[in-house]
Amino acid sequence: VTLHLNPISSVHIHQKPLVFLLNSPLPLVWKLKTERLAPGIRRGFFVSLGSVVQFEKGNFSLSAETEEKLFPEKNEHLLQWAQKEYGAVTSFTELKISRNIYIKVGE
């Protein structure tokens, strides 16, 4: 699955930390494609067991943290866990089948 990350239109270059919980019932390769995200900013990508994150060429991966996690099984429990763990959830998306996921990040 390719995860496309771009800033919202009112933000020229996104310069804040981000955390993504990428959960799947089956192990996946998450391919990351980014545009206009400032280098050197901490970004965490936590994936379900057996999954991996692949970064595009460039130095984005140097400031990114990737880690496998055992997530709660049901979405309601995952959302509650994420809120407890990180204090807030700004976006939650569930997809049954997808090859590309487009996410706008920003204020």
Side-chain angles (χ1 to χ4, degrees):
V1 174
T2 303
L3 183 61
H4 302 264
L5 302 177
N6 302 354
I8 58 175
S9 59
S10 62
V11 174
H12 182 62
I13 295 180
H14 190 270
Q15 300 189 40
K16 293 188 177 183
L18 297 168
V19 174
F20 290 90
L21 307 179
L22 304 172
N23 190 26
S24 172
L26 298 172
L28 287 179
V29 174
W30 295 91
K31 296 179 182 176
L32 209 60
K33 295 203 179 259
T34 63
E35 289 183 30
R36 301 184 353 253
L37 299 186
I41 306 293
R42 183 189 166 274
R43 296 184 180 97
F45 297 90
F46 300 99
V47 296
S48 46
L49 298 179
S51 294
V52 295
V53 178
Q54 290 181 347
F55 297 94
E56 293 178 289
K57 291 181 181 177
N59 65 357
F60 183 80
S61 64
L62 297 177
S63 59
E65 174 186 352
T66 61
E67 184 181 327
E68 285 184 60
K69 288 229 185 230
L70 179 59
F71 292 123
E73 284 187 34
K74 297 194 182 261
N75 284 337
E76 311 85 59
H77 298 140
L78 176 61
L79 185 55
Q80 291 169 353
W81 176 84
Q83 288 171 324
K84 228 186 279 182
E85 188 80 9
Y86 298 101
V89 173
T90 57
S91 177
F92 186 93
T93 303
E94 176 187 10
L95 301 166
K96 296 292 182 193
I97 298 175
S98 184
R99 291 180 188 257
N100 291 283
I101 300 171
Y102 297 84
I103 297 179
K104 297 275 188 192
V105 297
E107 302 299 321

